[in-house]
Amino acid sequence: MNVDNVMVRAVRLTKRYAAGRAEKVALREVSLAIPAGQFWVITGPSGSGKTTLLGLLAGMIAPTSGEAHLAGRPITHLRDHHRALVRRRLVGMVFQEFALVSGMSLEENLFLPWVPQGGAGRAERARARALLERFGLAEFAPTPVERLSAGERQRGALIRALVADAPILMLDEPTAALDSENVRTLLALLLALRDEGRTILATTHDRRLAEDPRVDGVLRLVDGVLEP
Amino acid sequence: MIPFRLTDRRASSRPARARTFKFRQLVGLLLMVASLWLMGWDAAHRRSGREAHTASIRAVVRLLGTADLALSSSSRWLRHPSITEPGAAFADGPAILDNDPAGAALGLPREVLAGFSAEPDVPPLMRERR
Amino acid sequence: MKRQLALICFALGSARRRAGRSFALGFALALVTFALSAVLFLTEALRREFRLAVATLPDLTVQQLAAGRPALIAEQEQAAIAAIPGVIAARPRVWGYYFVSSLSGNFTVVGVDTDDGAVRRDLALVSMNGRLPSSNVSGEVVMGAAAAAFFGLEPGDAITLPVGRAEKRLQLVGVFRSEVGLWTADVLLMSEADAREFLHVPPGYCTDLAVHLSTPDEATVVARKIADRLPGARIVDRQLMARTYDLTFDTRGGLLGAMLLPALVAFLVLVWDRLTGVGTGERREIGVLKAVGWQTGDVLLARSWENAAIAFQGAAVGIVGAYLYVFGARAPGLAEVLMGWSTLYPALRLTPAVEGGQMLVLLCLAVIPFVVAGLVPAWRVATQDPHGLLRGTV
C-alpha cells in the first residue's frame, strides 16, 4: 500500500560491477523518492550512472545493496520472474536506443512485450490504436521500424511504453536523437501525460529538459552519487 | 489532443510494407507437414498396390527357382544376371572373398564363406615319412 | 497453447529477418537429409522386394563343385537327397548364363517343364504381356522386359541366337511385366529341352537341385546329411541367401553413407559455427526482448522454435525430395550405384518400405541437434545485462 504517495523510491541503492581485477562502483548509496503524478528529471554527465539507476528503479537489474520500491512495493528481493511481472504492470520504459527490433513493423514492436503471454489482448490493441492516432503514427503501423525517422521511432517506443497503461513512465535520454522542435514536442507530451496522473522519471544530460521550469524536480547524479 | 508536426519525411514517400510475413511462414510450415503426410499416404497406397502383385512375384520366384533380384552382388551362389561386376566372374571358389570393397576391408562372416553352417567331419591329414 | 503459437510466430519472423542465415542452414540440412534419405529409401525398398519373395525360395540349393568351381550335378543325386527324412522334394533345375557379345553381358536362361501343371499355374499367375508358352513346344521363349527391349522384340516377334556353332530360332510369346522386373529383367524362360540346348547341359545332368523341406528349421541338419551323401557339394540355405543379400545392401548402402560422411561433417561444422556465434544483430534483439520484459526462458524457447522451424523445414524438404527422387524419378544415378555396374538394368518400380516411425526418427535426428546447438550461446547472451546488449557493450 502506498501510504505516503511516493511512487518510486530508492533506499541506499548501490551497484558494483566487476571490471577485470578491479571493481567499478556505478552507484553509491543513492536514495530518492518520487511522488505520484510528478515529472522528475535525473541529470548528470555521461557515465554518472543515470542508466544504471533507472535500471535498478525499474527492477531490470538487481542492486548490490539497498532497495527499490515501486508504488510502495519493495521489488529488490523478488525473484526475477515476479520482478518482471511487477515491472510489466507498473512501469513503462523508453530506452535511449528505443529498443525496437529492426525488420519488425511498428505494430509488431508495440506488442512485443505480450508475445510470451500469447499476444496482446483486445484492451492493449485498442489502446495502441488510440495512441497511434494520437501521436500521428497510425499510417505507419505496418511500416518496418528501420524505415521510420528518429522522431517517429521515439514516439513508437513511447507508445509501446504507454500501451500497458502503467502508472509510471521511465525514459532514458529521451531527447538524445531529437532536434529542438521534436524536443519541444516531446516535452509537451510528457507534461500532458503527467497532467493525466502518470509519474514520470527521465534521465538526461540535455539542459533543455533539465532546466524547463514545468518539470517538478531535478536530481543531479555525479560519479554514482546523488548531489544534495 | 497533442498536436504533432510531422517534421520528418512524408508518409507518401515511404509506402508502408505489406502485413508481416509470419502467416505466410506458418503456411509454409503447414505445407511441409502436409507434404510429409501426403508422402506417407502415397507410400501406404503404393504398398497396398504392391500387395496385389505378391502372388505374381511368388509365382515368378517358383518358376525361376530363385528370389534373387536382378542385381549385381558378385556373390557366386546368387544368380547374378547380366549385371555382374567386372572380375566377379573369376571368383568361383567357395572361399574366395567377394570383390565387393567391403570384403577387402572386413572379412565376411564365416558361415557365408563356408556355404552352409555345419561342416562335415574331415579326417585328419595323413603324412608318411620316407 | 496460445503462448506457444505466439512464440512460434515470433520465431518464424526472426528466421525471416535473418533470411540469409536461415536459408543457408536449411538448404545445407536439406541436401544432407536428401542424400541420406535417398540411400535409406532405396536400400530399404530393395530389401523389401527381396523379403517379399524369400519365403518362396527352396530351403536348400545343392550345387556340385569340380576343381572348386560350380559344375553340373547328376540328376540321379536327386533320389539320394529325396530319401533323406524331412525332404519333401528335390527338384532338378536347368538354368545358366548365356553370354551375348553385343550386350557384353549375360542373360539368365531358365528352363521349365512347360507341360507341368504347377508350372503352368505359376505362369498364369505371373504378370505378362502376350501369352503363355505352349505345352511341350520347342522354340518359344518368354523374356524379361529389359531383355526384350535390348533385342527390340515384341510378343509375336522371333529372333535367331547362336548356340555353339549352330543357331536356334526363338519366338517371343510373352514379356514379363515391370511388376516382376526386378527378378526377370534379364531372363529368357523357355522349355527345359531348349534350355539344355542353349546351355549345353546334357540329359541326366542339371545345374543344381532345389530342395524343399517339411520343417525349414531342420535345414542345417539336412544340409549336413546331404554333405555326407555328396562330398564336395556346396549347399546354400535360404537364410544364408537372405543374409548375403542383406550384406550386399548394407555394404553398398554403407559405402554410400561413408561417401556422404565428409559432407555431413562439413554440415555439422557449418551448423556449429552458425549457431554457437550469436551475431551483433541477434545480441541486440535479445537485449530488446529482455528489456521489454521477456524472461530468459522465453528467449530460449523462441530461439529453440526458430532453430526447430529451420531444421524441420530443411529436413522435410530433403525427405520429400528424396522420396520423389527415388519413387517418382526412380533414383537416376543412385540406383546404378546401389545395383552395381551393369549392361542391363531392370526398370526400378519400387515400393516404399520405410515406416512412419523411421521417418519420425530421421526428422528428430535432424531437428534435435540443431535446437540443442543453439541453446547454449543464446542462454549466455540472454543472461546478460539488457542495457549492455542494447548498447553493444557486452
Side-chain angles (χ1 to χ4, degrees), chain A residues 108-225:
Chain A
E108 284 177 311
N109 270 284
L110 294 186
F111 300 131
L112 202 50
W114 285 274
V115 169
Q117 288 120 65
R122 238 181 264 171
E124 285 91 19
R125 289 187 181 276
R127 259 198 303 276
R129 268 196 301 276
L131 285 163
L132 283 167
E133 285 289 345
R134 181 179 174 183
F135 286 32
L137 290 179
E139 61 201 304
F140 296 121
T143 306
V145 293
E146 63 271 16
R147 287 199 188 179
L148 301 175
S149 68
E152 286 159 352
R153 274 182 277 148
Q154 163 76 258
R155 277 178 268 148
L158 191 52
I159 293 173
R160 184 176 61 195
L162 294 172
V163 168
D165 205 23
I168 304 167
L169 188 61
M170 294 190 187
L171 304 99
D172 189 15
E173 301 283 358
T175 60
L178 303 181
D179 58 20
S180 299
E181 175 121 22
N182 279 319
V183 168
R184 277 197 291 276
T185 309
L186 178 68
L187 191 51
L189 167 68
L190 292 177
L191 290 167
L193 291 169
R194 187 266 319 262
D195 294 340
E196 285 169 13
R198 279 196 172 71
T199 305
I200 301 178
L201 182 60
T203 65
T204 186
H205 60 264
D206 187 338
R207 287 200 304 185
R208 292 171 295 183
L209 203 59
E211 292 174 358
D212 195 288
R214 295 168 288 179
V215 163
D216 296 301
V218 179
L219 298 168
R220 188 166 163 80
L221 197 63
V222 177
D223 291 334
V225 177

Side-chain angles (χ1 to χ4, degrees), chain B residues 58-82:
Chain B
R58 289 194 174 137
V60 150
V61 171
R62 280 193 295 270
L63 276 175
L64 303 184
T66 177
D68 339 336
L69 307 178
L71 307 176
S72 169
S73 73
S74 77
S75 170
R76 295 295 82 221
W77 54 70
L78 293 180
R79 132 193 163 219
H80 83 119
S82 48

Side-chain angles (χ1 to χ4, degrees), chain A residues 105 107-108 133-136 139-140 142-144 146-147 149 152 155 179 181-182 185 189 192, chain B residues 1-23:
Chain A
S105 67
E107 191 175 12
E108 284 177 311
E133 285 289 345
R134 181 179 174 183
F135 286 32
E139 61 201 304
F140 296 121
T143 306
E146 63 271 16
R147 287 199 188 179
S149 68
E152 286 159 352
R155 277 178 268 148
D179 58 20
E181 175 121 22
N182 279 319
T185 309
L189 167 68
Chain B
M1 173 88 176
I2 305 296
F4 269 101
R5 187 169 314 159
L6 291 176
T7 56
D8 317 303
R9 286 169 285 160
R10 306 299 302 175
S12 57
S13 68
R14 230 180 10 250
R17 227 201 248 173
R19 186 135 176 102
T20 61
F21 290 98
K22 65 181 178 216
F23 291 116

Side-chain angles (χ1 to χ4, degrees), chain A residues 88 111-119, chain C residues 3-4 6-7 293-295 298:
Chain A
R88 208 159 30 223
F111 300 131
L112 202 50
W114 285 274
V115 169
Q117 288 120 65
Chain C
R3 166 178 148 88
Q4 296 306 327
L7 285 171
W294 284 44
Q295 300 284 294
D298 300 328

